[in-house]
Amino acid sequence: MLGMQTLGISDSTPRGESRLKSLFWPAIESSFDVEYLALQGYWVCTLVAVLSFLLLLAAGQPTTAGIVSLLFYLGGVGVREHNRFAATIVFV
């Protein structure tokens, strides 16, 4: 366990806030919190990409479905990599 904390693989302090609170009102106190938010942003963008793809496909718009889902997914990858441009595009 000590080796994992030294390598930065494991969180040394447990998260005390709920998932919903950390999604809408995150507390950023360390670099781990920044990484956690970036990963959380990636998964939110991936979820939006999948839902958008399915809904637009069901609406009979396969080209729009592909473009929108690709935009959100790649935006999520950019958010995970701390790219400000990708975060701005996904936000807009």
Side-chain angles (χ1 to χ4, degrees):
M1 180 81 161
L2 181 62
M4 289 176 48
Q5 289 175 351
T6 304
L7 294 173
I9 297 172
S10 173
D11 180 23
S12 60
T13 58
R15 299 200 59 83
E17 46 189 39
S18 71
R19 177 78 65 180
L20 187 61
K21 182 183 179 304
S22 69
L23 182 61
F24 292 108
W25 300 279
I28 301 173
E29 298 173 356
S30 67
S31 63
F32 174 77
D33 293 334
V34 173
E35 291 298 323
Y36 178 75
L37 287 174
L39 187 61
Q40 192 173 21
Y42 166 76
W43 285 111
V44 167
C45 288
T46 301
L47 179 66
V48 170
V50 169
L51 290 175
S52 298
F53 181 77
L54 294 175
L55 290 174
L56 287 168
L57 201 60
Q61 299 179 1
T63 305
T64 306
I67 292 170
V68 169
S69 63
L70 189 62
L71 174 77
F72 275 107
Y73 180 74
L74 292 177
V77 171
V79 167
R80 184 184 66 194
E81 297 297 322
H82 306 284
N83 185 314
R84 289 183 188 188
F85 178 73
T88 304
I89 294 297
V90 171
F91 179 74
V92 169

